[in-house]
Amino acid sequence: MVKLGSALKTLRNRAAAVQNRRSSDQEKIAFIFSGGGNLGAVQVGMLRALVEAAIVPDLIVGCSVGAINGAAFAAEPNIDGVNRLTRLWDRMGTGEPNLMPPSRFLPMLAQLARKGESLHDRETLANLLDDELPVKTFDDLAIDFSCVATNLVTATEHWFDSGRLVPALLSSAALPAVYPAFETSAGRFIDGGVLHEIHVHRAIELGATTIYVLHVGHLEGRDLDVQRPFDGISRAYWVARRYRMEEDLRSVPQSVTLHRLPAGSMPRLRFDDFSNSSELAKLAYSATTEYLKTGHSPAPISGPVSNAADSDDDEDDFERELAEIDVVRD
């Protein structure tokens, strides 16, 4: 009976998605979810604005935390799905569960220097996905969905679009240094954002004619006052990432309509700080709603900021910058 109920709900979601689409027979709408770690709450606010505007995708492409958000929405592409994601991010915002528990003994620099592949194991995240996702396989999703991981051996993209969802999502979200690589019969994988910031090429290959990019927006406003050698490394890192994303956007053919949704904020958060999830979602919702109504993106506000970033202590500031750059934010 449980399986029958799940199947009926999937069919209803598929029917509702088709019925609510405003697109013509020729138009194919894609939502592209970037990575972004704890900034993934931004995408929940964007989704709420899109749903309220009755914009429903024909396909979804996801990467890292964007793969998790994208899969959850592909299962329920409506306001119920957005509300489910809101509850999920609220849980993480209150530390229930704590996906990245801090060390009680070691500062960040010492944790990164110790032996081992990653700071955390994936068990808590795997259990969270098992609990929160309303479906278990790609076939159960209401909307076509695929997510990407990086193959460590071949240094190529690997796309998941069939089989069980959780192993695919864990592969796509295996943030370097934070979570260990995920091994399947298809290979050994790390975060899908290592090779590309956003994956517009995948959506175009699948026939998308209109693309909405749900990028968490953390690449803008990264000017750094170089006071230490590490500052120079950090500045070069963020410049390279921004160039990679802009290059991906420039590759979109003129025949494809591209919407780059505004994040609404310029946060400075430690990679393990989920406490601002609700604020990030609200700011993104407001900015995206304005964009969808007017076609103009409002200027992002500065913040929110992790408490550690307020410190005047040089060592604390250095550890914060290292924490931001280390996770690749994808």
Side-chain angles (χ1 to χ4, degrees):
M1 289 298 293
V2 174
K3 290 185 178 180
L4 178 59
S6 176
L8 289 173
K9 186 173 183 179
T10 298
L11 289 174
R12 285 196 297 269
N13 284 334
R14 286 184 180 272
V18 172
Q19 184 176 2
N20 290 332
R21 286 184 184 125
R22 302 185 305 174
S23 59
S24 67
D25 291 340
Q26 290 74 36
E27 187 180 22
K28 195 169 188 179
I29 297 176
F31 287 1
I32 298 180
F33 290 75
S34 75
N38 56 336
L39 302 185
V42 165
Q43 295 169 342
V44 181
M46 293 174 173
L47 281 175
R48 187 174 295 278
L50 288 165
V51 168
E52 290 183 359
I55 299 172
V56 181
D58 298 280
L59 64 97
I60 293 174
V61 173
C63 169
S64 194
V65 72
I68 295 171
N69 287 337
F73 186 70
E76 292 182 286
N78 49 42
I79 196 63
D80 291 337
V82 176
N83 289 337
R84 177 187 292 273
L85 274 170
T86 299
R87 291 191 298 271
L88 170 61
W89 280 92
D90 285 346
R91 282 185 60 188
M92 292 188 292
T94 58
E96 296 293 337
N98 191 340
L99 298 179
M100 302 174 187
S103 171
R104 292 181 296 173
F105 308 105
L106 296 177
M108 179 60 65
L109 288 174
Q111 291 181 64
L112 291 171
R114 66 177 175 80
K115 289 186 177 181
E117 183 180 0
S118 61
L119 295 172
H120 306 286
D121 62 48
R122 67 175 74 92
E123 183 178 356
T124 303
L125 177 59
N127 291 336
L128 180 66
L129 295 177
D130 273 327
D131 290 342
E132 291 289 345
L133 288 175
V135 300
K136 301 302 181 185
T137 71
F138 283 83
D139 288 342
D140 295 329
L141 298 172
I143 288 178
D144 290 340
F145 168 75
S146 57
C147 64
V148 65
T150 301
N151 188 311
L152 275 175
V153 176
T154 62
T156 57
E157 293 178 350
H158 182 91
W159 287 94
F160 295 89
D161 57 10
S162 62
R164 294 173 55 218
L165 276 170
V166 170
L169 299 179
L170 292 175
S171 297
S172 184
L175 283 70
V178 177
Y179 290 125
F182 193 88
E183 191 161 354
T184 74
S185 58
R188 195 161 186 260
F189 302 106
I190 58 172
D191 192 287
V194 169
L195 300 181
H196 285 278
E197 188 76 24
I198 52 175
H199 296 82
V200 291
H201 59 285
R202 173 70 173 184
I204 293 170
E205 290 169 0
L206 295 174
T209 59
T210 300
I211 295 176
Y212 290 84
V213 177
L214 288 78
H215 189 275
V216 298
H218 60 283
L219 296 184
E220 293 82 4
R222 308 260 354 157
D223 292 337
L224 290 175
D225 181 16
V226 176
Q227 299 179 359
R228 302 175 296 247
F230 177 80
D231 296 335
I233 296 173
S234 181
R235 181 176 61 181
Y237 167 82
W238 290 110
V239 167
R241 290 198 60 198
R242 185 170 183 179
Y243 173 83
R244 184 177 63 181
M245 184 182 73
E246 298 296 340
E247 188 72 2
D248 287 338
L249 293 175
R250 285 190 289 269
S251 70
V252 176
Q254 292 185 351
S255 59
V256 175
T257 302
L258 182 69
H259 297 277
R260 184 175 174 180
L261 302 182
S265 62
M266 293 188 298
R268 296 299 303 271
L269 303 175
R270 289 178 58 90
F271 73 93
D272 53 359
D273 180 6
F274 289 80
S275 64
N276 294 277
S277 297
S278 179
E279 183 179 358
L280 290 172
K282 290 176 181 177
L283 291 169
Y285 166 76
S286 178
T288 300
T289 297
E290 182 174 339
Y291 170 81
L292 295 176
K293 289 180 178 178
T294 67
H296 299 288
S297 296
I301 71 163
S302 180
V305 180
S306 290
N307 290 334
D310 295 331
S311 172
D312 293 329
D313 185 85
D314 285 344
E315 184 174 352
D316 287 346
D317 190 56
F318 176 74
E319 287 200 1
R320 171 183 52 79
E321 292 179 15
L322 186 62
E324 285 190 6
I325 194 172
D326 177 70
V327 299
V328 193
R329 283 280 178 138
D330 291 313

